[in-house]
Amino acid sequence: MPRFLTPTKIGLLLLIDLYMQGAVPNSSSIPILSFLVRQLLPNFTNRRTRASPIESPIESLHFILDLGSFEALLLAHPALVPGRTLWDQFLKMLWSIDSLNALHGFFATRANLLANTAEENRMLVEMGIPRPPVGMLFLSRSSPFGSFARESRLEFYRLRFDDSLALWVSFVEWRQATKGYYLERNGSLGRWIGDRSLADGEADWGTDATEMLRITAYGIDGFGKIEGGRVSTGDIGKLLQFQVEQMQKFGDRVPLAMKDSFKGILENSLVVSSLTHYLKFLDAWRAGDYPTSFDNLHRYFDYTKRNRRRFFYQYALMNLAVLQADFGCLDEALATMIETISTARENQDMVCLNFALSWLYHFGKAHPNLVHGTETSNITDYEREGLMFLRTKAKETGTWTLWSSSLLSEAKLVLSNGESVSSAFENIQRSSQLVFGKGMKNMVGPQMAMTSSIWGRLGVSLLSRQYCQIFLSCHARDAVFDDLMRFSCRMAHLLTENGHYDDGIRGLEKLNKNSLRSWKANQHWQIYRGALRLKVELRRDNLENADRLLQQLLQFKGAGSDPDLTFEINILHVDYLTRRTDLGRALAKIDGMASALQEEGGDINPRLRLLTVKALLHSESGRPQKGFSLAVRAANMAWSARLLPALWAAMGAIANALNSLSEFQAASSILVAVIPRAYECEDCGMIAKLYSFLVDSHMGIAGQASSDSVQREKHLSKSLDYLNRAFEEYSAVEDIRGQSEIMAKEAILAIFLGDDLFANLYDFEDELFTNLC
Amino acid sequence: MVFNERDTDALRAALQEAVVKCSERCLYQSAKWAAELLTSIPPSEDKNKTEPEDSQMTEVPNEGLPPIVVSGNVDPEEAMLEAKEINQYLLAKSFFDCREYDRCAAVFLPDTLLSGILSTTASNNTQNASTPREKGKAKEAPGQRSGIVPPAMPKLSQKSLFLALYAKFMSGEKKKDEDSEMVMGPHDVGTTVNKQLIVISRFLENWFGERSSESGEIAGSQGWLEYLRGMVLAKDKSEDEAMRWLVRSINLYPMNWGCWLEMTSLISRLEDLNRVAQDLPQNIMSYIFHLHTSLELYQSTTSLSNSLDQLLEIFPTSPFLLTCLALLAYHMKDLEVADQHFSNLLALHPHRIDSLDHYSNILYVLNLQPKLSFLAHLCSTTDKFRPESCVVIGNYYSLLSAHEKAVQYFRRALTLDRSCLSAWTLMGHEYVELKNTHAAIESYRRAVDVNRRDYRAWYGLGQTYEVLEMHAYALWYYKRAAGLRPWDAKMWMAVGSCLQKMGRNLEGIKALKRALIAESYYDAGVGSSFGSGVRDRGGTMDPEILLQIAGMYEGLEDEAEAAAYMEMCVAQEEGSNDNLEGSMINIHADSQSSDDESRPVAGRSGVESGTGVTAATSKARMWLAKHAMRTEDYTRAMQLATELCQDGVEVEEAKALVREVRVRLEVGGLSP
C-alpha cells in the first residue's frame, strides 16, 4: 500500500498541469478549481450536513476517486481547441505518461510548475538564463496546489523502486478504462498504447513475445491485482481521523453503507494504523459490545504506547474509566478515574485533569452513594466547592468548555436544590456569554437545554418549547447526537402534554437512523418511545396494552438507565395502578419511590410531584383530607423553589382537599386564581383536573345555596361551563377516564337541572364507556 | 567442430546425466546450467519424422531416460556403498534442500567422528611438523588421547561424502554471511572467513592421503571430491594448488560446470588460460570454458566469435551462449548489437535474470532510459531480491541522477551477495558522483579484491586518486587498468594525462600515442590482431589526444613536433580525406619517430567525415596561429585567425590576432 501517492493523485497533478498550461477556458476554471480544491483540502467541504440527507457523507468526501469522476467533470467543458473537450486533453496527457521512466520524468518535472524563489531567480540571472515570459502561470510554493505538487514530488523521490513500480502498475490499471475512448478519438495508436517500451520492443520481439513480456511485467489481467494500490496510507490516516472525529463529535457509529468498504480498505493496508483499533473500540462501544471494546481499547493503547510513551497513560485510563462506567462497573470506573486524576496531576496535564474532575463530579451526581459513601451531610457544600474549584481551574487553564459546563452545573445544582432562581439565571447568562463569545458550538446544546428547562420549571412552556425548536432547527448539525436526542425527547414530552401524540412520536422517529445504531442512544430512544406510548395507552384506557408495555419498561432500571426516565415510568406505573384501582399497591410504590429519592437527595421536582401524586391518590381513595398536609407541603416547597407547574398541581390538590372539607368558596377562589397561570404550563391533564376541582367547588357552593335561588342557578351553570372546559381538555389528551368522569358529573348536573333525557343520554354513554373499558 | 547425430545423442545423454548428478550433489547452479544447455539442443529431426509422438511416448526405452531420483554408479564398489546408504542419503539430501546444512553433514559425518579424524590428522602432522603452531597443538592432543585408538575413516560412498562435506562448506558460508557486518559499515572490513574450510580441507587431505598410491594416482576417485578440494583451496588463496585439483577433477568428470567456473575465477590473465588449456581434456565443455573465460578476460577476437557461432549451431537457443554473444558484442564496443542480442534473450526468457546486470550496463552507456526502466520493472516483478535485479535498479537510478538511491540498491545487491563484483564497482562510481572519495576508493578496492580482472574498478581507483591529486597512486592504478585492456584508448589516455600532470612528458607522449593507435584500431573494427596493420587503418583520431600530445611536446620544447600534432589536430576537422594534409603529417611523423609502433597516420580512405570544429581543434588553431606569428609566417597566421573568427570560438582573441597580423603585414610591407 502506497504511503501517499496513488493514481488519483497523478490525475490531480495532471489536472493542475492542464490548468497551468492555460488550456482551461475562463468559463470552466471555477468548477475545475473547486474540484481540485475539494480534493486537496478535505476540510474544505466536509462539514457534516446532517440536515440535508441528499448529500451523503461518502459523496462529499470523494474518498476514492476513479477516472469516472474526472470524466464527469471534464467532459462537460469544451477545450480551447474546437471540437475537443477538456477530457480529451486530459486523456492525452494521461496517456503521454507511457512508461515507468516517463513517470519518473513526470514527477521530476513537477518542480517546473512552481514559482522560483528569490534566490533561484538570482542564480538564474547570474547564469544568464532569461526569466520566463510574464504570462506564464506558476504555483506559489505555499499555495495548496504548490504544496501538493511539492509534496508529491518529495514523496515520489522517497519511494523505493518497487513502490514506484507498484504505483506505475496501479496507474496503468487505473487508466485502463479510458483506453477504448482514447483509441477511438485518436485513431490507430496500436496495441501497446501507453507503454513505450513494449511498443518499441515489438519490432524486435514479435507480437507473441511482447505479449508474454507484458504478462511477465504486469501480471495476468484481473488476477493477483491488489485493490489497495488505489488507496494510500495517508488517505487511510485521514479517513480514520475523520471517522474518529465524527464518532467522538456526534456519537455515531460507522455508517452501514460504508462499513464493508471501510473494512476492506483497512484490511488491505499493510501498515495497520493504531487508530484503527481506536475506531474499532469506539464502534464496539457504541454498539454496546463492551467486551470487544475493552479488547480494542487495550490493543490501541498497547500499539500507541511505543510512540507516545507514558505521557498519554492518563488518556488511556480516562477512556477506560468512561467505558467501565458505561459497562456498569461503577466501582472500577471510579477507581480508574481517581488514578487518572493522580496521573494527570503527576504529568501536569491540566486539560486531562479538568476533564477527569468534571467527569467525576457528574459521576458523583449520578451515583452519589458510590462517591461519598456515608457522609451525606454537607453534600451541597462539597459539590459547590467542587464546582468552584473546577471553575477556577478552567479559568486558569483557559478551558472554556469546562468553565461554561461548570457554570451550567452550578445553575443546575441551584435549581435542583430549589434555591434562588435568579442566581441560576445569573450562571446561565455567564455561561451563555462564554459559549457565544468563544463560539463553542459543542456547548450550545447543554446551554439551550438548561435555558429551556429553567423556563419549563418557571411554568412558561412556550419559551421552553421555543428553545427546543431553535436548537433543533438551527444547531442540530453541529450537535452531539445525545443532545439532539435529549431535545427531541423533551419536545415530544411537551407535545404529548398537549395531546399532540402523533407529532411527538414523529419528532422521535425523525432522528438519524445511523446515529440510532449506537446502542446506548438506541436504548434510550426505545424506552422513551415506549414511555410515550404507555402514556397514550393509559390515557386511552387501554389497560391491557399498557400492562404489556409496563412489563417491558419496568425491566429497564439499574445503573445504565436515565434517572429522569425511570422516574417518569414509575409515575406512569402509579397511574396505571390507580386506573386499575389497585390503590394499595400504588401507595406502596409511591412510598418506595419517595424513600429512594430521599436517599439519593436529587432534584426537588420529582419529590414535589410525588407529594402531589400521593395527595391525589388519597383523594382517589376517598380520604382527601389525608392528602391535605402533603399538598400544603408540596405547595410550600414549590413556591419557595419557584417550581410553578408543581405549585399549580399542588394548589389543585389543596383545593381538592378544601372541597372535601366543604370549604368550597376558598377552593374556588384558589382555583380561579391558579387556572390562568396553569394554562401557561400547557399541561392539558393538569388543567382538566383543575377545572374538574373547580366544578366540584362550584357544585359545593351551589349545594350550600338555597334551592332554586339565583345563586344556585348561577353556580350550576358555571359548573356546566367548567365541566365542558374540563371535558375539552381531557378530550385534547384523549383521556377517556377523565372524560367519563366529567360525563358522570355532567349527568348528575343534568339531573339537578331536571333534564332527564339529557341525563339518560349521559348515563347511557357512561355505561358504554365503562363497558368499553 | 562437426557434430553428427550420434554425437548429439551422446552429448544429450551426458548432459542429462550431468543434471541428475549435480542435483544429487546439490550443486544447483551447475544443474541449472546443464539443463539449460540440454534443452537448447534442437530435437533430432529423424526421430520426429519416423515416429509419431504417441509411439515415442510408449516406446521410449527405459535406458534412454536417466533415473531422476538417483543415478547409478559405474564403479561396483561405489554402487554397493550407495545402495547401502540410500536411506541416509535421501535424508541428508532433504536436509540440504531445507537449508539445514549442519544437520545434513551430521547424517554422514557426526561431529564426534569428525573431531576424531581431525585430531588424528593433527597427530599425524606432528611427525611431519609442518608449522610450529600446529606442533604446539599437537603436543597436547596425544597426551590426552594416548589410550584411544584413532577412529578409522568412515566407509562412505563418494557421493555421500561429497554431500556431507559440501553441506559443511555451505554451513560455513552461511555463518560467514551471518557474521559479516553491514555492507561498508564501520566494522565491515571483509575479513570474515568460512570457518569450516579448515575442517574440510583436513578431512579431504586425509581421505586423499588414504587413497592415493605412491605415484600420486587416486584410485577410484570420481572427480567431485577433487572439485570440493579445489574450491576450498581457492577460498584459502592457494591458487596454484587449487587449479591443480580442479584440473584433476575436470579430467575425471568434465560435465561439472561449477568446476569450470571456479577455474575461470582463478584465471586472471590470458597467458594463464593458455597454460591451463594444455592440461585440459579436449571436449565441448573445455571449448565452452575457453570461450567463457576469454570473455571474462575481455577478449574479443574473431576466433572467439567463430567458436561462438559454432557452439550456437549445436545449441541454437542456449541462453548462456546468447549472453556470451551479447557480451562479445559489448566487449567489441558494439553496443547497439549487444543491446539487440540481450533484447532477444529477454523475449525468449522473460523470467531469466542471470546476467541482466550486464544488459543494464549496456543500456546505461547507451542512455536508453525507457528501456532500462522496463528492464528494471521486469527484474523487480520477477524477483526483487536478486543481486542482479538490484544492480539493474541501481543503474536505472544512477541514470536518473538519483545517486543516493542508486547506492542504496547497490548496497542491497551486496548484502544479498558479497561477491557481486559489478555492484562494488558501480557503487564506487556512485560514490564518486556523490563526491565521497573515501567510500569510492573502498568500494573499488573491494571490487578489485573480489576480482582482479575488473579494469573498471582499477580505472575508477585511478580516477578517484586523480581527483584527490595523488597522481602517483592514480598512475599505478591506471597502469593496471591499461594492462588489462591494452587496446582501450581510454586507459592509455588516462595514463598519459596522469603522466603529463606528473611532468613526465616523454612517457606521457608514449602513452597517448598508444591511445591513438588503440582508438583507430577500434574504429576500424576488430579483426586484425594487435600491432600489425595499424598503419593502414583509416579513421579520425581524437583531436583531444592530439592536442594533448602537442601540448606535451611543447612542454618538452619540441616546437616542430608540437606544431605537427597541432596541424594534425586541426586536420581532424575535415576528416581524413584531405590527402595533402595527410601527407604533410606523414612527413612530420616519419622524420622524428622515436617509437616504432606509434606512428599514427591520417588515413586516405576519404570515406569518413571529420569531427567538425571542436574546442580542441579551435585551441589547436589558435596555437598554430600564434606559432605562425612567432615564426613570422603572417599569411598563414592571417588565414588561421580568420578561420577562427568564422568558427565563432574565442572570437575576441582571434580578432585581436587578425589586427596584429595586419599591423605586422603593413609594417612588413613597408619595411622591406
Side-chain angles (χ1 to χ4, degrees):
Chain A
M1 171 160 291
R3 241 173 61 86
F4 174 79
L5 288 170
T6 54
T8 312
K9 300 243 161 62
I10 301 180
L12 292 176
L13 281 172
L14 279 173
L15 202 55
I16 292 177
D17 203 2
L18 192 71
Y19 174 72
M20 303 283 292
Q21 284 172 6
V24 178
N26 286 341
S27 57
S28 321
S29 33
I30 288 180
I32 286 177
L33 287 181
S34 54
F35 176 83
L36 280 169
V37 166
R38 214 166 45 232
Q39 291 306 317
L40 299 184
L41 309 174
N43 295 329
F44 192 65
T45 45
N46 82 21
R47 193 184 298 150
R48 173 80 167 253
T49 43
R50 208 196 283 270
S52 63
I54 310 148
E55 202 186 5
S56 72
I58 306 165
E59 229 174 60
S60 61
L61 192 64
H62 275 303
F63 176 55
I64 307 169
L65 207 61
D66 57 354
L67 265 175
S69 328
F70 284 98
E71 184 173 2
L73 172 77
L74 292 171
L75 205 53
H77 300 288
L80 293 175
V81 187
R84 297 257 152 173
T85 58
L86 284 180
W87 176 237
D88 291 318
Q89 289 195 328
F90 179 75
L91 279 187
K92 198 172 163 204
M93 290 166 73
L94 185 71
W95 285 92
S96 70
I97 303 179
D98 58 358
S99 65
L100 180 59
N101 185 48
L103 190 68
H104 277 94
F106 173 75
F107 277 102
T109 51
R110 286 313 89 186
N112 301 350
L113 295 179
L114 299 170
N116 292 329
T117 56
E119 196 171 329
E120 279 171 352
N121 270 332
R122 209 180 57 230
M123 271 172 63
L124 286 183
V125 169
E126 275 172 16
M127 285 159 71
I129 296 167
R131 280 163 182 273
V134 182
M136 256 171 95
L137 277 176
F138 284 105
L139 296 174
S140 114
R141 296 190 155 253
S142 50
S143 67
F145 288 2
S147 60
F148 177 62
R150 279 163 61 204
E151 190 180 4
S152 308
R153 204 165 73 95
L154 179 70
E155 288 286 345
F156 188 79
Y157 183 74
R158 284 167 51 174
L159 286 188
R160 286 174 305 170
F161 182 80
D162 33 326
D163 291 336
S164 59
L165 187 61
L167 176 65
W168 163 242
V169 171
S170 64
F171 174 69
V172 167
E173 200 189 330
W174 182 71
R175 71 178 177 188
Q176 201 60 31
T178 59
K179 187 174 174 181
Y181 178 83
Y182 184 63
L183 279 180
E184 198 180 296
R185 295 289 286 200
N186 291 286
S188 54
L189 277 170
R191 171 167 184 197
W192 310 110
I193 172 179
D195 199 321
R196 212 169 85 203
S197 18
L198 287 176
D200 288 351
E202 195 186 1
D204 294 347
W205 300 328
T207 316
D208 289 344
T210 317
E211 181 62 25
M212 193 164 73
L213 279 174
R214 189 186 70 77
I215 290 173
T216 314
Y218 293 101
I220 300 162
D221 293 327
F223 287 97
K225 298 276 169 66
I226 310 156
E227 191 56 38
R230 307 273 180 85
V231 190
S232 66
T233 355
D235 289 341
I236 287 193
K238 271 187 196 159
L239 183 70
L240 280 175
Q241 240 165 20
F242 171 78
Q243 186 59 42
V244 166
E245 197 179 291
Q246 289 288 310
M247 289 174 85
Q248 282 181 332
K249 203 163 154 196
F250 300 114
D252 292 355
R253 292 180 60 192
V254 181
L256 271 179
M258 278 290 288
K259 202 167 181 178
D260 282 342
S261 61
F262 205 72
K263 209 171 153 191
I265 290 164
L266 289 184
E267 270 172 5
N268 265 330
S269 75
L270 293 175
V271 193
V272 179
S273 160
S274 55
L275 213 53
T276 316
H277 301 303
Y278 193 69
L279 188 72
K280 279 185 190 155
F281 150 68
L282 281 178
D283 199 44
W285 181 14
R286 302 269 184 257
D289 182 359
Y290 292 118
T292 314
S293 61
F294 269 122
D295 199 23
N296 276 312
L297 181 64
H298 281 292
R299 188 171 294 153
Y300 169 68
F301 280 106
D302 289 346
Y303 281 119
T304 19
K305 201 150 189 214
R306 200 176 32 180
N307 334 345
R308 301 190 187 173
R309 290 177 299 159
R310 204 182 146 73
F311 187 65
F312 279 74
Y313 182 49
Q314 61 260 34
Y315 285 101
L317 284 171
M318 194 162 75
N319 269 302
L320 194 64
V322 177
L323 180 61
Q324 275 168 337
D326 264 10
F327 199 17
C329 308
L330 301 178
D331 295 322
E332 283 93 331
L334 188 64
T336 317
M337 199 46 106
I338 285 170
E339 200 185 335
T340 309
I341 291 170
S342 62
T343 321
R345 226 173 238 154
E346 209 173 278
N347 294 340
Q348 314 232 313
D349 187 347
M350 275 305 148
V351 182
C352 179
L353 181 64
N354 289 342
F355 184 89
L357 285 174
S358 115
W359 187 88
L360 197 62
Y361 165 75
H362 288 285
F363 185 76
K365 289 282 286 179
H367 311 281
N369 47 342
L370 271 175
V371 181
H372 309 298
T374 47
E375 37 148 3
T376 35
S377 63
N378 264 343
I379 283 185
T380 345
D381 288 348
Y382 174 83
E383 280 178 358
R384 193 143 295 160
E385 266 173 32
L387 281 178
M388 285 284 283
F389 174 75
L390 278 179
R391 216 167 64 198
T392 43
K393 274 281 167 199
K395 212 172 183 176
E396 275 172 21
T397 52
T399 40
W400 311 121
T401 321
L402 184 66
W403 192 357
S404 93
S405 81
S406 66
L407 281 170
L408 288 177
S409 301
E410 200 169 338
K412 197 174 173 188
L413 185 69
V414 167
L415 282 182
S416 61
N417 287 336
E419 290 165 28
S420 152
V421 175
S422 54
S423 72
F425 259 116
E426 184 197 330
N427 280 324
I428 290 175
Q429 285 311 316
R430 279 162 72 184
S431 153
S432 168
Q433 191 204 352
L434 264 179
V435 169
F436 292 102
K438 305 287 177 196
M440 288 181 288
K441 281 182 181 166
N442 54 342
M443 282 309 289
V444 173
Q447 168 76 29
M448 296 274 240
M450 203 60 223
T451 323
S452 158
S453 101
I454 199 172
W455 284 119
R457 276 159 171 268
L458 288 175
V460 193
S461 279
L462 180 71
L463 274 178
S464 173
R465 204 172 65 227
Q466 267 176 357
Y467 271 106
C468 290
Q469 266 167 350
I470 289 170
F471 180 80
L472 286 177
S473 52
C474 302
H475 298 284
R477 54 179 199 183
D478 298 318
V480 186
F481 182 71
D482 283 349
D483 278 345
L484 213 58
M485 174 95 116
R486 189 157 15 138
F487 277 98
S488 297
C489 290
R490 187 188 294 254
M491 195 72 193
H493 174 76
L494 289 172
L495 284 170
T496 47
E497 292 303 309
N498 275 337
H500 301 298
Y501 300 123
D502 290 346
D503 289 347
I505 298 274
R506 213 176 299 134
L508 282 182
E509 300 281 358
K510 246 181 13 200
L511 284 172
N512 190 334
K513 283 282 165 302
N514 180 44
S515 306
L516 279 176
R517 284 175 56 239
S518 164
W519 184 79
K520 238 184 132 184
N522 193 27
Q523 203 75 352
H524 188 260
W525 184 68
Q526 295 279 11
I527 298 173
Y528 204 88
R529 273 178 46 202
L532 274 189
R533 271 191 57 203
L534 175 63
K535 198 179 249 176
V536 175
E537 297 293 350
L538 280 175
R539 290 203 173 141
R540 289 182 181 156
D541 226 21
N542 292 336
L543 293 185
E544 298 300 320
N545 285 353
D547 184 34
R548 229 173 292 138
L549 276 169
L550 255 180
Q551 292 303 328
Q552 294 174 33
L553 288 175
L554 285 176
Q555 308 301 320
F556 294 114
K557 52 187 171 191
S561 55
D562 184 359
D564 288 346
L565 200 53
T566 322
F567 177 77
E568 199 67 37
I569 289 167
N570 283 333
I571 287 282
L572 286 172
H573 190 203
V574 171
D575 191 17
Y576 167 77
L577 291 172
T578 323
R579 279 168 201 259
R580 280 269 185 211
T581 57
D582 191 350
L583 299 182
R585 269 179 71 196
L587 191 63
K589 172 101 189 172
I590 290 175
D591 282 339
M593 280 164 72
S595 60
L597 280 180
Q598 198 70 38
E599 230 172 72
E600 283 172 21
D603 193 358
I604 196 169
N605 190 19
R607 277 189 278 166
L608 289 179
R609 274 181 73 188
L610 264 187
L611 286 175
T612 319
V613 168
K614 199 172 172 186
L616 287 177
L617 191 68
H618 281 304
S619 95
E620 194 84 11
S621 62
R623 286 174 294 175
Q625 289 98 327
K626 232 186 160 179
F628 186 68
S629 65
L630 287 172
V632 171
R633 222 168 82 203
N636 187 26
M637 278 163 74
W639 173 243
S640 68
R642 297 294 187 280
L643 252 176
L644 298 187
L647 178 65
W648 309 144
M651 291 317 280
I654 291 175
N656 188 25
L658 287 174
N659 277 339
S660 70
L661 292 170
S662 308
E663 293 286 346
F664 302 117
Q665 200 61 49
S668 111
S669 53
I670 288 178
L671 286 171
V672 166
V674 161
I675 286 177
R677 305 289 308 276
Y679 262 107
E680 279 184 0
C681 299
E682 299 184 358
D683 185 347
C684 295
M686 186 175 81
I687 296 170
K689 233 172 229 163
L690 290 178
Y691 270 121
S692 142
F693 295 147
L694 190 58
V695 169
D696 287 350
S697 52
H698 276 293
M699 285 293 279
I701 297 173
Q704 281 173 346
S706 54
S707 56
D708 298 331
S709 66
V710 187
Q711 189 82 0
R712 176 178 269 189
E713 280 296 313
K714 199 180 91 189
H715 281 288
L716 279 179
S717 65
K718 256 191 185 166
S719 310
L720 195 61
D721 191 22
Y722 291 138
L723 269 176
N724 281 333
R725 289 204 189 174
F727 190 77
E728 267 170 34
E729 293 298 325
Y730 273 131
S731 321
V733 290
E734 301 173 32
D735 190 337
I736 288 172
R737 206 183 146 92
Q739 276 174 332
S740 52
E741 198 186 305
I742 300 296
M743 287 262 190
K745 283 184 182 172
E746 214 165 349
I748 296 165
L749 198 64
I751 294 167
F752 269 111
L753 290 173
D755 191 346
D756 283 345
L757 187 71
F758 194 52
N760 281 341
L761 196 68
Y762 276 118
D763 263 352
F764 176 72
E765 270 186 21
D766 200 21
E767 231 168 70
L768 209 68
F769 270 125
T770 25
N771 286 348
L772 270 176
C773 301
Chain B
M1 216 200 274
V2 183
F3 258 59
N4 57 25
E5 191 67 21
R6 195 181 301 149
D7 290 340
T8 319
D9 280 346
L11 183 61
R12 202 177 279 137
L15 281 172
Q16 283 167 353
E17 199 199 349
V19 175
V20 175
K21 282 198 163 169
C22 288
S23 30
E24 270 177 358
R25 286 162 181 82
C26 296
L27 298 167
Y28 302 121
Q29 293 296 333
S30 308
K32 180 177 92 178
W33 185 86
E36 262 184 357
L37 207 60
L38 176 63
T39 46
S40 64
I41 306 174
S44 46
E45 291 165 22
D46 300 351
K47 270 188 187 168
N48 280 357
K49 273 176 197 166
T50 51
E51 293 172 39
E53 292 225 339
D54 292 346
S55 65
Q56 197 183 11
M57 289 291 281
T58 49
E59 266 184 49
V60 166
N62 279 335
E63 62 265 25
L65 286 175
I68 294 301
V69 188
V70 189
S71 67
N73 205 317
V74 282
D75 188 340
E77 193 185 341
E78 287 288 323
M80 199 191 70
L81 278 172
E82 278 175 20
K84 211 168 75 187
E85 291 158 356
I86 178 77
N87 296 330
Q88 277 168 305
Y89 163 75
L90 288 174
L91 180 70
K93 171 106 169 42
S94 15
F95 284 151
F96 198 103
D97 289 341
C98 296
R99 301 169 61 81
E100 299 179 32
Y101 301 122
D102 281 330
R103 209 169 159 205
C104 171
V107 170
F108 289 113
L109 301 172
D111 289 340
T112 48
L113 182 76
L114 214 55
S115 68
I117 290 169
L118 292 180
S119 60
T120 36
T121 321
S123 61
N124 285 343
N125 280 349
T126 16
Q127 278 111 47
N128 306 352
S130 51
T131 56
R133 193 148 48 111
E134 275 183 42
K135 213 192 229 169
K137 231 194 263 170
K139 262 178 198 161
E140 292 170 359
Q144 286 165 354
R145 306 174 159 268
S146 50
I148 305 163
V149 185
M153 288 289 277
K155 192 84 176 134
L156 287 173
S157 68
Q158 288 178 33
K159 184 161 80 178
S160 311
L161 194 58
F162 178 84
L163 189 63
L165 289 175
Y166 188 54
K168 261 288 181 251
F169 178 77
M170 290 305 286
S171 121
E173 287 289 304
K174 199 172 132 201
K175 290 221 178 62
K176 178 178 138 192
D177 280 350
E178 286 162 358
D179 288 346
S180 40
E181 300 282 333
M182 190 183 75
V183 174
M184 299 273 291
H187 305 293
D188 180 30
V189 284
T191 50
T192 34
V193 287
N194 186 341
K195 293 196 179 69
Q196 301 291 348
L197 287 182
I198 187 117
V199 177
I200 300 167
S201 87
R202 282 275 175 77
F203 191 93
L204 283 175
E205 207 176 304
N206 230 358
W207 194 86
F208 284 116
E210 242 174 45
R211 293 292 186 99
S212 57
S213 59
E214 280 108 66
S215 58
E217 288 292 308
I218 295 154
S221 176
Q222 291 179 331
W224 299 98
L225 289 167
E226 282 87 347
Y227 161 57
L228 191 58
R229 183 147 198 212
M231 201 152 63
V232 170
L233 285 169
K235 290 260 176 203
D236 234 6
K237 304 278 180 217
S238 41
E239 299 188 350
D240 290 342
E241 190 75 354
M243 186 55 101
R244 214 161 53 75
W245 283 98
L246 287 174
V247 169
R248 201 183 271 190
S249 162
I250 285 302
N251 279 312
L252 287 167
Y253 189 74
M255 303 304 280
N256 180 5
W257 180 245
C259 190
W260 294 105
L261 274 182
E262 281 297 325
M263 284 166 67
T264 306
S265 66
L266 288 178
I267 291 169
S268 54
R269 301 164 70 95
L270 201 58
E271 293 82 56
D272 290 346
L273 177 63
N274 292 334
R275 206 179 57 231
V276 167
Q278 297 159 4
D279 302 335
L280 296 178
Q282 291 302 313
N283 57 18
I284 192 148
M285 292 298 277
S286 74
Y287 204 62
I288 296 175
F289 162 72
H290 194 268
L291 172 74
H292 178 241
T293 313
S294 308
L295 279 175
E296 286 282 301
L297 293 170
Y298 310 107
Q299 298 297 312
S300 49
T301 54
T302 2
S303 63
L304 264 186
S305 75
N306 282 339
S307 56
L308 190 56
D309 288 343
Q310 281 176 1
L311 281 171
L312 275 171
E313 272 170 30
I314 307 167
F315 310 102
T317 56
S318 160
F320 173 76
L321 291 176
L322 288 174
T323 313
C324 287
L325 197 64
L327 284 180
L328 188 64
Y330 178 36
H331 293 164
M332 282 153 88
K333 298 219 162 172
D334 200 347
L335 296 175
E336 270 85 8
V337 176
D339 172 26
Q340 195 72 32
H341 285 314
F342 265 121
S343 174
N344 284 334
L345 184 67
L346 202 63
L348 281 173
H349 304 277
H351 295 288
R352 190 176 190 270
I353 299 183
D354 301 344
S355 74
L356 284 186
D357 47 339
H358 295 294
Y359 187 26
S360 73
N361 287 341
I362 292 165
L363 291 177
Y364 181 90
V365 177
L366 284 173
N367 202 14
L368 288 174
Q369 282 190 15
K371 258 191 180 167
L372 189 51
S373 81
F374 184 67
L375 185 69
H377 180 171
L378 269 184
C379 289
S380 180
T381 24
T382 310
D383 185 354
K384 60 184 175 186
F385 294 116
R386 278 277 291 269
E388 286 92 341
S389 306
C390 296
V391 169
V392 172
I393 294 168
N395 263 332
Y396 178 57
Y397 276 128
S398 174
L399 200 54
L400 288 178
S401 314
H403 297 296
E404 284 102 342
K405 275 170 134 181
V407 166
Q408 201 181 329
Y409 274 91
F410 290 134
R411 208 181 257 267
R412 183 189 276 190
L414 290 171
T415 316
L416 291 167
D417 178 9
R418 277 181 181 258
S419 57
C420 186
L421 166 75
S422 47
W424 281 119
T425 315
L426 291 169
M427 190 153 88
H429 292 339
E430 295 312 312
Y431 276 127
V432 170
E433 292 285 346
L434 290 171
K435 308 245 172 353
N436 186 348
T437 42
H438 296 286
I441 287 171
E442 196 182 336
S443 305
Y444 285 133
R445 189 69 236 178
R446 289 293 181 79
V448 171
D449 286 346
V450 174
N451 184 346
R452 305 183 78 79
R453 295 182 304 243
D454 188 24
Y455 72 93
R456 277 166 303 192
W458 290 117
Y459 184 76
L461 270 174
Q463 248 179 340
T464 322
Y465 277 115
E466 204 174 348
V467 170
L468 293 173
E469 302 199 335
M470 297 160 80
H471 297 295
Y473 276 121
L475 182 63
W476 163 256
Y477 291 119
Y478 279 142
K479 275 184 175 167
R480 297 296 294 255
L484 281 164
R485 282 175 74 88
W487 58 90
D488 194 336
K490 214 169 118 191
M491 307 296 141
W492 288 114
M493 251 173 86
V495 172
S497 325
C498 203
L499 283 168
Q500 187 187 12
K501 278 179 193 143
M502 293 169 75
R504 289 153 70 175
N505 282 335
L506 212 56
E507 289 161 84
I509 288 167
K510 269 191 195 174
L512 285 180
K513 280 180 178 169
R514 284 194 82 125
L516 278 180
I517 295 163
E519 197 173 57
S520 53
Y521 165 76
Y522 259 120
D523 279 351
V526 185
S528 52
S529 58
F530 188 69
S532 65
V534 181
R535 274 171 199 279
D536 299 330
R537 297 269 65 84
T540 52
M541 288 172 285
D542 189 345
E544 289 280 352
I545 303 181
L546 291 170
L547 181 70
Q548 219 172 343
I549 295 178
M552 276 194 274
Y553 272 123
E554 197 189 0
L556 289 173
E557 296 176 356
D558 189 346
E559 284 268 320
E561 195 71 346
Y565 274 91
M566 287 295 185
E567 290 282 359
M568 208 147 35
C569 180
V570 172
Q572 299 309 315
E573 268 179 28
E574 279 102 44
S576 39
N577 49 358
D578 196 335
N579 272 331
L580 188 76
E581 280 198 39
S583 58
M584 193 173 83
I585 293 161
N586 260 337
I587 297 162
H588 277 294
D590 281 337
S591 60
Q592 307 217 326
S593 168
S594 55
D595 185 334
D596 58 332
E597 258 189 357
S598 63
R599 277 297 93 208
V601 180
R604 51 185 183 277
S605 57
V607 184
E608 283 124 317
S609 56
T611 56
V613 179
T614 64
T617 56
S618 297
K619 264 186 201 152
R621 183 162 283 136
M622 178 62 79
W623 188 89
L624 279 175
K626 284 181 180 163
H627 180 69
M629 290 287 285
R630 280 198 293 278
T631 52
E632 302 188 343
D633 184 356
Y634 295 124
T635 34
R636 176 136 178 79
M638 187 68 179
Q639 183 201 345
L640 288 166
T642 349
E643 275 172 21
L644 265 175
C645 289
Q646 282 163 3
D647 293 345
V649 192
E650 296 182 57
V651 183
E652 294 304 317
E653 210 181 336
K655 275 182 184 162
L657 209 61
V658 170
R659 250 174 269 130
E660 202 185 335
V661 170
R662 278 217 189 99
V663 173
R664 288 280 174 86
L665 275 179
E666 274 166 25
V667 172
L670 288 177
S671 60

